[in-house]
Amino acid sequence: MRNSKKLSLLTIMLVLFISAIAQDAINYQTPPKDIADLLLAKPTPGVSIDSKAAWMLLSERNSYPTVDELGQPEIRIAGLRLNPNNFSPSRLNYINNFILKNLKTEQEIKVQGLPSNLLAGNVNWNPSETKIAFTNTTASGVDLYVIDVASQKAVRISKKAVNTVLGAPYTWADDNTIIYKSATQLATNAPKKSITPKGPTIQQNLGKTAPSATFQDLIKSPYDEQLFEFYATSQLVQNKSGIETNIGKPVIVASFVLSPDKKYLLQKTIKKPFSYLVTAFGFPSTVAITDLKGTVVKILAELPSTETTPSGNDNTQNVQRLFDWRDDEAATITWATPLDSGLIKNKMDYHDAVFSLSAPFTGTAKELFKTQMRYSGTSWGNNSIALVQEVSRTKQVGRVSRYNSSTNNLEKLYERNLTDAYNNPGTAVTTKNEFGRQVILTTDNGNKLLMNNITGSSPKGDLPFLAKFDLSTKQNEIIWRCQEGVYEYITDVLDANKLVLLSRKESQKDAPNFYLKNLMLRIADRQLTSFKNPYPALDGVTKQKISYKRTDGVDLTGDLYLPKGYNKEKDGLLPVLMWAYPREFNNAADAAQVRGSQSRFTTISWASPIFYVTQGYAVLDNAEFPIVAASADKKPNDNFVAQLQMNAEAAINKLTDLGVGDKNRVAVGGHSYGAFMTANLLAHTNLFKAGIARSGAYNRTLTPFGFQNEDRTYWQAPQLYFEMSPFSYADKIKTPILLIHGDTDDNPGTFPINSERLYNAIKGNGGTVRFVFLPYEAHSYRGKENLLHMLWEQYTWLEKYVKR
């Protein structure tokens, strides 16, 4: 008996010992105070200003929800994540308060009549900018509110609960009328899952080619189909001054868009059979025009499931697409049709044709123009101006042309590599027309476009600009550019003739604020906001954009942060945290361009590595890691790993040459594709002391129909998929690596199993690895306790394996 008790005790101790080895379960931890304070700093309010610069709406949010809030009920179907109790997406980052600011008196006024526990979203001004609508989410439903700007009072206008499950939930029809999607039942009536299924779940394919991206949260059973139909079904309602009238019958409305003349609706409605391979927006659908009573005026297309979309960056289904209203006409619909059966490899002079059909929609569609590349949209304007965009993702080329309605020809205005930031002329400024639609603005008697480039990349760093593009000479003349030493860009053009502008300006020391500018009168800018620095812990931290070359001559840059009070001669070499995200380029010249500005104010998001500069680390953020095609007939990823190594070596050598970084104490980290990069660097080099990889994909065979910008499939390039997968070399990962993943990652390709399997592979081969699974977190993390713990994990990892 005594021996039996000893054996039982020994067994229990052995089980506890094995459990301790298998899992290191701990309570939530918090990082050092400076790091925690940076994370939890109150966010700067969101800003929305009317077109007359008379009123400003300030939207305040809490920093991060608690894990308890994230843990509320959620269902995941058809690529959606829904709160089953209120017909809305789950886990949104809501607005918690509204403040109106009179820009003439500079008085800030708290909006009256707001719900006591405000969870607001979907904020939109009415056409004359006298009212502001928003949705408010409660435990049991979503309500629609309107703020009257003059009285600064909010009133609930919806009697029926709003359904926000799919797409935009409402639109302003006029100053007093809103059309919105309403829920058709109480959430308590949702289908109940039977314990005993009626049979197995079966999928089949009868010879059709259906390459599928690795979407998550898909429909998996007949019960999921019932749930999706229940929650996605809505009733369109017209609410005019509080009086609600149904439009048509309840259907699954994917989208609805009002015609410029406010007489018709362009509706896309989802129909069965629901797909088990793609998300809701890829389900079979009907595209139709209805009147405001819901009567079908014209069925434009019956679209199949997008399952059959061919793989490849520039391929598309052989069906009509991109249905939209012309903004410059009362009621004209446009769409594109492929001329190459959807396969870009088919040799054609033109790959797409664009058609139009005008009210009453009984005639024959008119062909407007054809595009040589894949059509991607049209920006319509007054005075017969229209800008047509076409693109080749494979070649990384974009083109903008002027459409001539009298000849139906396209006149090329400019074309550039999409990765060529220096030669980006900007985006054409728009203005409201008589229909209240945004259309292209022209100046100088219609001969020039006003172009706004909010990035303004240059060899000196980003310097945003405003320019005039001459339609005859096709030259861009810059009329205003951000001064060096600050970062300022134009957010809105209030008066194109007098050049009255709204701008957002910041510097390394000054937090971003909004200004009123007048370029014609050349008077001093008027500051409209006075937001203060929310990050006092970063006072004294220095930032500089450093430049360096990798061994093949490609120029690189990165943002280097050094601790407060750091003195190179006194403090010596610092431990380094390098953070990066690889990007593909078809040519070295574009890859070498300077991106970003050292004059920007440092802001901290949960994902940032800058936290650790407060703990004595040199932080190299936004380290450029270009992956460049070796020649025109090669693809960037053909030598992916070798280029990762060149990028890393160049950065480490630069920090060494500067005399600030200790090359023997460098950690590398990244999120998503940056995590994929991190694991590859640790598998193939000995450059680092440790790595931090968050929410990555590590086995490319799990994304067999392409990933990132790689459009070759696994079966076309199996060796490439093997060699780019760090999982294939898990036995070589001996450098300590910290794996972090949200347990409900929703990003295509980065299934949590990636981190689980890589952890087991490294562990099985004797590597040093720690795996942190964050509860209720998707691809982007949000929970306060989870984020504090994540920062603690990263801090502890760096202190243990890098700093010492």
Side-chain angles (χ1 to χ4, degrees):
M1 187 72 175
R2 184 176 298 172
N3 289 337
S4 177
K5 287 183 178 181
K6 286 183 177 181
L7 184 60
S8 296
L9 181 60
L10 182 62
T11 302
I12 293 171
M13 292 176 65
L14 183 61
V15 170
L16 290 174
F17 175 71
I18 293 173
S19 298
I21 295 176
Q23 180 176 336
D24 184 11
I26 59 175
N27 295 329
Y28 280 119
Q29 302 294 309
T30 56
K33 185 178 184 301
D34 279 348
I35 293 178
D37 288 347
L38 287 173
L39 177 75
L40 300 178
K42 186 177 180 179
T44 300
V47 171
S48 178
I49 302 174
D50 69 17
S51 61
K52 300 180 182 66
W55 288 94
M56 174 189 293
L57 181 70
L58 299 170
S59 304
E60 297 181 338
R61 303 175 189 267
N62 291 333
S63 52
Y64 299 101
T66 65
V67 169
D68 181 64
E69 291 175 272
L70 293 186
Q72 296 306 303
E74 180 182 70
I75 56 173
R76 304 170 196 160
I77 46 172
L80 306 170
R81 294 190 170 186
L82 308 175
N83 185 324
N85 299 324
N86 59 17
F87 293 91
S88 79
S90 57
R91 305 177 185 175
L92 296 178
N93 186 15
Y94 293 108
I95 296 166
N96 305 114
N97 188 36
F98 288 119
I99 296 172
L100 277 167
K101 182 175 182 177
N102 187 317
L103 294 179
K104 293 180 180 178
T105 66
E106 298 191 354
Q107 180 184 10
E108 291 189 2
I109 309 163
K110 181 175 175 59
V111 177
Q112 302 299 312
L114 295 174
S116 56
N117 181 30
L118 181 65
L119 298 174
N122 302 298
V123 181
N124 285 292
W125 296 75
N126 71 345
S128 65
E129 300 176 315
T130 58
K131 298 177 181 179
I132 305 168
F134 66 90
T135 56
N136 180 61
T137 301
T138 70
S140 58
V142 179
D143 301 318
L144 188 59
Y145 279 74
V146 169
I147 300 171
D148 179 76
V149 176
S151 64
Q152 300 93 48
K153 291 182 180 179
V155 176
R156 175 185 167 185
I157 67 164
S158 61
K159 297 180 179 66
K160 299 180 179 181
V162 182
N163 186 323
T164 61
V165 165
L166 286 173
Y170 72 87
T171 186
W172 283 98
D174 58 45
D175 283 341
N176 300 301
T177 306
I178 294 179
I179 297 173
Y180 73 92
K181 292 189 285 187
S182 69
T184 60
Q185 300 189 57
L186 296 175
T188 52
N189 293 333
K192 301 296 187 289
K193 186 173 184 178
S194 173
I195 296 176
T196 305
K198 295 180 179 179
T201 297
I202 297 172
Q203 301 180 59
Q204 68 174 359
N205 185 63
L206 302 178
K208 289 185 177 181
T209 301
S212 175
T214 50
F215 296 114
Q216 304 205 40
D217 305 327
L218 299 178
I219 285 178
K220 298 177 182 177
S221 69
Y223 174 66
D224 285 350
E225 295 187 52
Q226 295 174 32
L227 282 180
F228 171 72
E229 185 171 17
F230 175 82
Y231 285 106
T233 298
S234 63
Q235 171 68 62
L236 279 182
V237 172
Q238 179 177 270
N239 186 311
K240 187 175 183 64
S241 301
I243 299 174
E244 295 181 330
T245 305
N246 288 348
I247 299 176
K249 297 179 179 179
V251 287
I252 302 176
V253 182
S255 63
F256 67 100
V257 184
L258 194 62
S259 62
D261 65 2
K262 314 296 192 294
K263 294 180 180 179
Y264 303 96
L265 286 170
L266 172 63
Q267 294 194 52
K268 182 178 181 181
T269 55
I270 291 173
K271 60 184 181 179
K272 294 180 178 179
F274 303 145
S275 173
Y276 284 44
L277 285 178
V278 296
T279 66
F281 292 100
F283 288 1
S285 61
T286 299
V287 180
I289 297 170
T290 73
D291 61 21
L292 295 191
K293 294 181 180 179
T295 304
V296 174
V297 176
K298 175 74 174 181
I299 293 178
L300 295 170
E302 298 285 358
L303 300 178
S305 164
T306 59
E307 289 179 10
T308 58
T309 303
S311 61
N313 285 337
D314 295 310
N315 293 330
T316 186
Q317 278 186 298
N318 190 24
V319 297
Q320 299 155 293
R321 71 185 197 280
L322 297 178
F323 292 90
D324 200 5
W325 296 108
R326 280 188 64 153
D327 296 310
D328 62 336
E329 295 187 359
T332 298
I333 205 76
T334 64
W335 64 88
T337 298
L339 300 173
D340 55 10
S341 300
L343 300 174
I344 203 71
K345 68 179 181 181
N346 290 337
K347 300 297 183 182
M348 315 280 294
D349 291 334
Y350 299 96
H351 287 275
D352 278 339
V354 174
F355 295 85
S356 73
L357 184 64
S358 299
F361 313 108
T362 54
T364 302
K366 172 187 175 183
E367 182 182 299
L368 298 182
F369 52 82
K370 298 175 182 177
T371 60
Q372 295 177 328
M373 293 184 281
R374 194 62 76 203
Y375 172 73
S376 60
T378 300
S379 299
W380 302 97
N382 295 331
N383 303 320
S384 302
I385 183 75
L387 302 181
V388 176
Q389 296 93 37
E390 50 190 303
V391 66
S392 169
R393 284 189 60 197
T394 299
K395 297 179 180 179
Q396 296 182 332
V397 171
R399 177 187 299 168
V400 173
S401 303
R402 180 181 184 178
Y403 168 56
N404 187 326
S405 59
S406 61
T407 64
N408 287 345
N409 290 330
L410 296 181
E411 176 191 4
K412 184 173 74 173
L413 297 180
Y414 56 89
E415 181 175 307
R416 69 180 183 92
N417 287 343
L418 297 175
T419 56
D420 178 7
Y422 289 176
N423 289 303
N424 181 359
T427 302
V429 173
T430 61
T431 186
K432 282 186 180 180
N433 64 4
E434 68 270 26
F435 300 117
R437 311 281 286 211
Q438 291 292 331
V439 293
I440 298 295
L441 172 69
T442 57
T443 64
D444 297 66
N445 297 318
N447 296 317
K448 295 182 180 180
L449 305 175
L450 203 55
M451 306 291 283
N452 188 17
N453 190 321
I454 64 172
T455 303
S457 297
S458 78
K460 296 181 179 180
D462 290 351
L463 294 171
F465 62 79
L466 190 70
K468 286 186 176 182
F469 184 91
D470 192 306
L471 293 167
S472 299
T473 65
K474 301 179 178 59
Q475 297 298 309
N476 218 28
E477 176 194 1
I478 295 177
I479 60 175
W480 171 87
R481 188 154 204 164
C482 168
Q483 296 179 353
E484 294 182 42
V486 298
Y487 184 81
E488 182 179 17
Y489 63 90
I490 305 304
T491 63
D492 201 3
V493 176
L494 302 180
D495 188 323
N497 295 319
K498 297 180 180 179
L499 290 178
V500 180
L501 317 170
L502 283 174
S503 75
R504 182 180 183 273
K505 182 165 62 175
E506 62 192 275
S507 70
Q508 277 201 30
K509 295 182 179 180
D510 301 311
N513 276 289
F514 289 82
Y515 293 80
L516 187 63
K517 306 176 71 69
N518 192 316
L519 299 189
M520 296 288 283
L521 297 181
R522 299 183 181 276
I523 57 178
D525 294 352
R526 178 186 163 203
Q527 187 169 340
L528 301 179
T529 59
S530 300
F531 301 135
K532 305 301 181 184
N533 178 6
Y535 310 116
L538 292 182
D539 285 346
V541 169
T542 62
K543 171 190 175 183
Q544 68 177 113
K545 183 167 285 292
I546 60 173
S547 301
Y548 47 99
K549 286 182 183 289
R550 68 186 199 185
T551 54
D552 62 354
V554 175
D555 291 314
L556 305 174
T557 62
D559 296 326
L560 176 61
Y561 295 84
L562 296 174
K564 176 181 179 180
Y566 171 69
N567 182 290
K568 183 165 54 176
E569 286 71 27
K570 175 184 174 184
D571 300 319
L573 300 176
L574 298 173
V576 177
L577 173 58
M578 182 190 305
W579 205 263
Y581 189 96
R583 301 184 189 279
E584 298 92 339
F585 296 85
N586 282 341
N587 65 78
D590 289 355
Q593 292 181 350
V594 178
R595 290 168 174 84
S597 168
Q598 73 172 23
S599 299
R600 299 206 69 167
F601 181 77
T602 299
T603 57
I604 301 286
S605 76
W606 66 268
S608 174
I610 301 172
F611 292 100
Y612 302 100
V613 75
T614 66
Q615 306 303 307
Y617 292 84
V619 176
L620 184 63
D621 193 16
N622 300 317
E624 293 286 353
F625 265 65
I627 307 299
V628 186
S631 60
D633 60 339
K634 298 292 184 180
K635 298 256 187 184
N637 286 334
D638 288 347
N639 59 343
F640 179 80
V641 171
Q643 293 195 67
L644 287 186
Q645 182 167 346
M646 282 194 293
N647 293 326
E649 288 175 338
I652 292 172
N653 290 338
K654 178 63 176 181
L655 296 178
T656 302
D657 292 343
L658 289 174
V660 298
D662 185 346
K663 66 179 181 180
N664 296 313
R665 293 188 296 162
V666 182
V668 65
H671 189 88
S672 194
Y673 209 55
F676 171 71
M677 169 206 75
T678 296
N680 263 308
L681 283 169
L682 300 194
H684 296 285
T685 77
N686 295 313
L687 297 171
F688 300 98
K689 288 277 285 183
I692 299 172
R694 292 195 315 240
S695 296
Y698 308 111
N699 184 344
R700 295 274 53 129
T701 65
L702 298 177
T703 54
F705 289 103
F707 55 91
Q708 210 70 1
N709 287 315
E710 177 57 64
D711 62 354
R712 289 170 289 187
T713 70
Y714 167 76
W715 298 274
Q716 293 171 324
Q719 190 64 26
L720 175 81
Y721 275 68
F722 177 85
E723 291 177 355
M724 285 186 67
S725 297
F727 182 83
S728 303
Y729 304 93
D731 60 325
K732 308 297 184 185
I733 300 178
K734 302 302 181 183
T735 302
I737 183 169
L738 173 63
L739 300 174
I740 303 175
H741 218 119
D743 69 358
T744 57
D745 194 323
D746 56 348
N747 184 56
T750 54
F751 294 94
I753 195 174
N754 277 280
S755 291
E756 296 176 61
R757 294 291 90 198
L758 184 62
Y759 167 76
N760 286 334
I762 296 173
K763 176 184 175 182
N765 283 285
T768 300
V769 59
R770 182 177 174 89
F771 176 33
V772 180
F773 223 15
L774 298 175
Y776 307 123
E777 295 294 357
H779 193 61
S780 180
Y781 311 158
R782 294 184 59 234
K784 180 170 68 174
E785 296 92 337
N786 282 334
L787 293 176
L788 288 168
H789 185 85
M790 177 202 77
L791 293 171
W792 175 83
E793 290 279 2
Q794 294 176 167
Y795 166 75
T796 304
W797 198 254
L798 294 172
E799 291 288 298
K800 182 175 182 179
Y801 292 109
V802 180
K803 201 170 194 179
R804 65 182 186 182

